[in-house]
Amino acid sequence: MKHLQFITHATDRYTDLDEVRMALQGGCRWIQLRMKGATDDEVLSVGREAVRLCHHQHATLILDDRVALCPLIGADGVHLGRRDMPVAEARKLLGPHAIIGATVNTVEDLCRAVDEGADYAGCGPFRFTTTKEHLAPLLGLDGYRHLVAARKKLSVRLPLIAIGGITRDDIPVILSTGVDGVAMSGCIVRAANPVEEMHKICKTINPTL
């Protein structure tokens, strides 16, 4: 089964918790709570409720970046960007059972993620996106094929999750490169009906479910 991750991105229209609720209602079972610029107290307050909502639906809640807050809110793990805490250091703090994701843009990043014990790699960006600052070089389809080939050469099974400006129409061709899933945000939040859009995306990713 292919993976689908939803990443919150609060807007004037929706709060992070609004988006968590809509993503869950639409069928997504893996949420990354991303609250760049928020205080720790704000992340704690929102995060605890987000965890409650997710776990009620047997969904996974990953916190972006804030390693120290993960055990305080009961998150299932953390996603670390290229400028964040190293995966190995986060593993020492969170223990062997926490899910730790790493952002990957190059084969060098991929090797580091494998060596440090990441559980999955968020690979991007696919194309330009306004939901993230300090973008790494765009990967495109050829970039994903290159990373999939590098993973095969390393003989590892680290799941590769495509991310960055992906829309529903992009999903089939992206999955055809051999990646294991996609992470999405903006196209869902901007949809006229985010819940309906999430339903359609879930069906596109796993048509037989």
Side-chain angles (χ1 to χ4, degrees):
M1 188 172 74
K2 297 295 185 180
H3 300 280
L4 169 63
Q5 299 182 9
F6 173 71
I7 302 173
T8 69
H9 177 67
T11 66
D12 293 338
R13 189 179 177 196
Y14 301 118
T15 66
D16 289 285
L17 284 176
D18 289 335
E19 293 176 9
V20 170
R21 292 186 185 97
M22 291 187 295
L24 292 170
Q25 188 177 348
C28 185
R29 290 298 177 263
W30 185 299
I31 312 289
Q32 182 189 141
L33 182 63
R34 189 173 188 270
M35 298 179 65
K36 295 293 187 187
T39 66
D40 282 354
D41 285 343
E42 289 169 335
V43 175
L44 284 170
S45 176
V46 173
R48 285 172 176 144
E49 178 62 10
V51 167
R52 188 191 69 79
L53 292 169
C54 286
H55 289 180
H56 182 70
Q57 296 293 333
H58 306 289
T60 297
L61 190 286
I62 300 295
L63 189 60
D64 177 70
D65 182 18
R66 316 280 182 109
V67 175
L69 301 187
C70 285
L72 299 180
I73 70 171
D76 298 291
V78 67
H79 183 88
L80 299 168
R82 297 166 87 208
R83 302 183 182 195
D84 296 334
M85 179 185 293
V87 169
E89 186 176 343
R91 178 67 68 197
K92 290 178 182 177
L93 293 171
L94 298 180
H97 302 298
I99 300 169
I100 301 180
T103 296
V104 165
N105 180 256
T106 66
V107 173
E108 182 183 2
D109 293 337
L110 177 62
C111 292
R112 184 183 307 111
V114 170
D115 290 343
E116 294 195 352
D119 294 297
Y120 73 91
C123 305
F126 171 61
R127 65 161 61 91
F128 178 77
T129 173
T130 58
T131 61
K132 188 171 184 179
E133 298 178 356
H134 310 299
L135 280 182
L138 303 185
L139 285 176
L141 296 175
D142 286 342
Y144 290 134
R145 294 187 186 104
H146 187 55
L147 288 173
V148 168
R151 178 180 64 178
K152 183 177 181 180
K153 188 174 181 180
L154 290 169
S155 297
V156 296
R157 274 305 306 154
L158 183 72
L160 305 180
I161 308 299
I163 184 173
I166 297 170
T167 67
R168 176 158 44 98
D169 291 340
D170 297 320
I171 291 172
V173 69
I174 288 176
L175 293 181
S176 75
T177 66
V179 299
D180 302 280
V182 297
M184 306 177 74
S185 181
C187 75
I188 296 166
V189 174
R190 291 191 295 267
N193 186 329
V195 174
E196 182 179 332
E197 182 66 14
M198 182 62 83
H199 273 301
K200 291 177 180 178
I201 287 168
C202 289
K203 194 68 175 175
T204 300
I205 292 175
N206 291 297
T208 59
L209 293 183

